[in-house]
Amino acid sequence: MEERPLILVDVDGVLNPFRRPGTAWQSHTCTAAGVAFALWLNPDHGPRLLALARETGADLVWATTWEHDANAGIGPIIGLPELPVIEVHKGRGLEDPGCCWKIPSVAEYVNRRPFVWFDDGLGRIDRLWLEAHPNVDRFRLLHIGGNRGIRDAHFRQARDWLTSAA
Ligand SMILES: [Mg+2]
């Protein structure tokens, strides 16, 4: 039996857009490594991510600079339970020039499980790097525009891919 797919979730530029997209996003202060940051967060996003995971038989995982601080500060605001954390800083420097620095840690973590990844900092060069990695099997990168953050279309694309990958 194949292992459950993963849904990788970034915070800045995804759950926390760089500009407020609408009144559903509210201002919050969250602390990372002892430093307070102002964020725009939408309380619908936790339930929507949980529904996506439930409906597709996938597991949610944080893949963000916030690492464990996402569980402490961000998850409770948007209604997410404590999630596993990819410690993205661990693999920093192992990526090729021009790649997102999170990808070595992500490749190690996924361990050939299928995954979708919501992130505002990924492109073709990252896809090629991941495709060539022996620890990576099937995946779909969902590029999010950082100014608006995650949209309905991204949830749909993730659901479509996870459903067809099953
Ligand atoms: Mg980001």
Side-chain angles (χ1 to χ4, degrees):
M1 196 176 91
E2 186 164 274
E3 283 204 86
R4 290 162 63 86
L6 297 163
I7 301 169
L8 276 51
V9 183
D10 183 26
V11 171
D12 295 321
V14 175
L15 298 180
N16 168 39
F18 301 128
R19 299 176 189 163
R20 189 185 195 188
T23 53
W25 284 257
Q26 288 138 23
S27 178
H28 295 274
T29 301
C30 300
T31 304
V35 181
F37 294 91
L39 286 79
W40 295 114
L41 294 171
N42 182 334
D44 292 341
H45 285 161
R48 292 192 68 178
L49 287 168
L50 288 170
L52 175 66
R54 188 174 59 245
E55 291 164 10
T56 59
D59 295 323
L60 293 163
V61 186
W62 291 117
T64 164
T65 313
W66 287 76
E67 293 190 335
H68 297 277
D69 289 318
N71 276 327
I74 293 158
I77 291 173
I78 60 171
L80 286 176
E82 184 159 331
L83 301 179
V85 174
I86 301 178
E87 294 179 333
V88 287
H89 286 101
K90 277 190 177 164
R92 189 164 203 154
L94 301 176
E95 74 280 7
D96 287 342
C99 285
C100 172
W101 56 272
K102 294 178 189 173
I103 61 174
S105 302
V106 164
E108 184 183 328
Y109 186 91
V110 299
N111 201 21
R112 303 196 64 79
R113 291 171 70 177
F115 67 96
V116 295
W117 186 359
F118 295 121
D119 198 285
D120 63 314
L122 299 171
R124 179 175 172 274
I125 190 170
D126 302 296
R127 180 170 54 77
L128 295 174
W129 191 95
L130 288 164
E131 283 173 353
H133 198 286
N135 216 32
V136 175
D137 189 14
R138 289 170 299 141
F139 66 92
R140 174 82 194 271
L141 304 182
L142 291 164
H143 180 74
I144 314 290
N147 283 337
R148 299 179 77 194
I150 193 167
R151 316 292 296 177
D152 291 349
H154 303 123
F155 283 100
R156 270 200 305 277
Q157 288 162 10
R159 180 176 284 104
D160 288 349
W161 189 86
L162 288 164
T163 304
S164 64

